[in-house]
Amino acid sequence: MQELTTLKELLAHPRHIVITTHHKPDGDAMGSSLGLYNFLIQKGHHVKVITPTDYPIFLHWLPNNPEVIIFTEKGEESKKLVQEADLIFCLDFNTLSRINELGEIVREAKAKKVMIDHHLEPEDFDDFRHWTINACATAQLVYDFIANVLQEPQLINKDVATCLYTGIMTDSGSFRFPTTTPEVHHIVADLISRGAENWKIHQLVYDNFSENRLRFLGHCLLNKLEVHAEFNTAIIVVSQRELQEYGISTGDTEGLVNYALTINGIRLAALIIERTDKVKLSLRSTGDFPANEICKKYFNGGGHRNAAGGQSDRKLLEVVSDFKAILPEYKSLLLV
Ligand code: 5GP
Ligand code: MN
């Protein structure tokens, strides 16, 4: 691993740079990627953001979003850019499996790789690393990278600030998760003073539902929510048929699992969704309950202690009973 400050010299001359982030990117993935993009283009670099897959419409307003290339839509172009890059920034993920087929192309690329991330247990594929699980968002680490590592806070313009604010806002649950330290609030204050319109960003991300999405939420809360009080656990199970019935697309299920956690006393919430190719689980927990442990041990996934995900190739109802069968093992932790 090389010293991060060496990057300052590397970035002193125009380079070919690729920024990539995890599949099905969320607000932090896109906010940190486009935040870094909007910073780097001011320094004369040739920069491309490549996402492994598409991402929610409520993130398409981010500054310079039209410049993003989606690997599943432009495979050959993406591959060429990765192979010819001098530097590849890997944001908001730390194992190459999180970027699907793009992972091996990145691994083989001649470029120097820079990981900026806040997830547990990073894989060793990078040359430079700006990593800590104590950051509430990768966007916070990108801010720190620009302001303190490269010492160029003056280049945090309105576009950069808007993107980084979006990343911090979404990954910190609108500034309420335990990782929202005084330092995070100082950073956010600085971003607002540099032009991030906080009220507008909240509106664009959170008050941008389609009618169908809101009705789907109502359906899930009224008809699909199961509360297992004996385990302080709530589960929402959604079938492929329901996704189709309500015309649900990428990102429309984001945040749904959090509603289950708003019930008094619930420590663990699970959203189990039948996607076209597999069943996807999203877990959320409170306090020190290790949601990521369940995902890692049983569902080929991982994540943070309070927000984790995984998947299974088994049938929807089989996955639901697999999940329920695990709960007794965690009963003492769930009933704290
Ligand atoms: P979500 O439930 O929103 O899909 O994911 C929540 C968090 O869990 C993500 O930020 C990510 O850290 C983690 N996560 C989700 N799916 C996976 C997965 O398949 N593998 C790993 N390692 N982490 C995941
Ligand atoms: Mn993140």
Side-chain angles (χ1 to χ4, degrees):
M1 201 67 59
Q2 300 179 38
E3 276 293 319
L4 260 187
T5 43
T6 317
L7 269 177
K8 203 171 166 160
E9 294 150 35
L10 259 168
L11 290 171
H13 306 281
R15 305 284 180 191
H16 282 84
I17 299 176
V18 164
I19 300 169
T20 188
T21 189
H22 60 79
H23 71 107
K24 294 289 171 194
D26 58 8
D28 188 31
M30 293 316 298
S32 55
S33 296
L34 281 166
L36 185 64
Y37 173 92
N38 285 306
F39 161 73
L40 289 170
I41 54 169
Q42 296 175 71
K43 291 167 65 69
H45 298 295
H46 185 269
V47 195
K48 291 286 173 194
V49 175
I50 304 175
T51 61
T53 64
D54 64 346
Y55 49 96
I57 287 173
F58 62 77
L59 297 172
H60 288 195
W61 59 272
L62 284 164
N64 269 325
N65 176 73
E67 300 299 316
V68 175
I69 296 174
I70 301 173
F71 178 74
T72 44
E73 291 167 13
K74 292 185 177 166
E76 281 311 308
E77 186 184 344
S78 307
K79 190 172 171 183
K80 194 158 176 277
L81 285 162
V82 170
Q83 286 170 339
E84 290 175 359
D86 304 310
L87 265 176
I88 301 174
F89 281 91
C90 298
L91 301 192
D92 204 35
F93 72 94
N94 65 23
T95 58
L96 289 174
S97 61
R98 294 276 289 148
I99 57 171
N100 305 350
E101 298 98 279
L102 200 51
E104 291 313 307
I105 305 171
V106 167
R107 196 194 299 281
E108 298 300 322
K110 65 176 183 357
K112 294 277 184 208
K113 286 135 211 164
V114 188
M115 176 199 297
I116 304 183
D117 179 59
H118 67 143
H119 294 93
L120 290 163
E121 298 173 359
E123 180 193 339
D124 198 10
F125 66 85
D126 47 339
D127 301 285
F128 298 92
R129 186 175 289 186
H130 193 30
W131 175 88
T132 168
I133 56 161
N134 298 322
C136 72
T138 294
Q140 181 187 346
L141 292 173
V142 170
Y143 176 95
D144 185 57
F145 179 69
I146 298 172
N148 301 321
V149 177
L150 300 179
Q151 297 182 314
E152 294 179 302
Q154 74 283 1
L155 294 186
I156 301 179
N157 61 15
K158 181 175 177 156
D159 285 351
V160 177
T162 299
C163 294
L164 297 184
Y165 185 97
T166 303
I168 294 174
M169 176 189 83
T170 51
D171 250 30
S172 68
S174 297
F175 319 108
R176 68 196 178 95
F177 295 155
T179 44
T180 314
T181 57
E183 193 200 345
V184 171
H185 282 282
H186 283 298
I187 291 173
V188 160
D190 188 45
L191 294 174
I192 294 172
S193 69
R194 292 177 187 279
E197 292 175 285
N198 51 330
W199 58 275
K200 198 168 167 184
I201 296 172
H202 280 258
Q203 221 170 50
L204 287 166
V205 173
Y206 295 122
D207 300 341
N208 217 346
F209 275 43
S210 61
E211 181 183 337
N212 269 2
R213 185 181 171 189
L214 195 63
R215 292 197 188 281
F216 174 70
L217 169 64
H219 166 66
C220 290
L221 298 182
L222 185 63
N223 306 317
K224 308 301 307 211
L225 178 69
E226 295 176 25
V227 177
H228 298 274
E230 70 280 24
F231 294 114
N232 284 338
T233 296
I235 309 175
I236 298 172
V237 180
V238 179
S239 69
Q240 182 58 222
R241 190 182 54 75
E242 285 163 309
L243 293 177
Q244 283 169 1
E245 195 177 315
Y246 285 88
I248 292 305
S249 52
T250 304
D252 282 348
T253 54
E254 204 160 301
L256 179 55
V257 64
N258 296 313
Y259 286 93
L261 209 58
T262 61
I263 304 169
N264 184 16
I266 293 298
R267 289 212 72 195
L268 177 64
L271 173 65
I272 306 177
I273 302 185
E274 184 181 31
R275 298 279 180 207
T276 42
D277 50 339
K278 62 186 174 217
V279 173
K280 175 85 179 96
L281 292 95
S282 278
L283 301 195
R284 299 293 184 270
S285 68
T286 60
D288 49 16
F289 186 87
N292 52 350
E293 188 185 304
I294 294 183
C295 291
K296 192 173 172 194
K297 201 164 154 190
Y298 296 102
F299 298 108
N300 197 25
H304 314 273
R305 190 178 55 202
N306 297 134
Q311 56 249 304
S312 171
D313 291 327
R314 281 158 62 75
K315 291 202 168 71
L316 179 64
L317 294 181
E318 290 172 346
V319 179
V320 174
S321 43
D322 291 346
F323 179 77
K324 288 179 182 168
I326 293 162
L327 296 177
E329 182 190 331
Y330 288 92
K331 188 162 185 172
S332 58
L333 283 175
L334 288 166
L335 297 187
V336 169

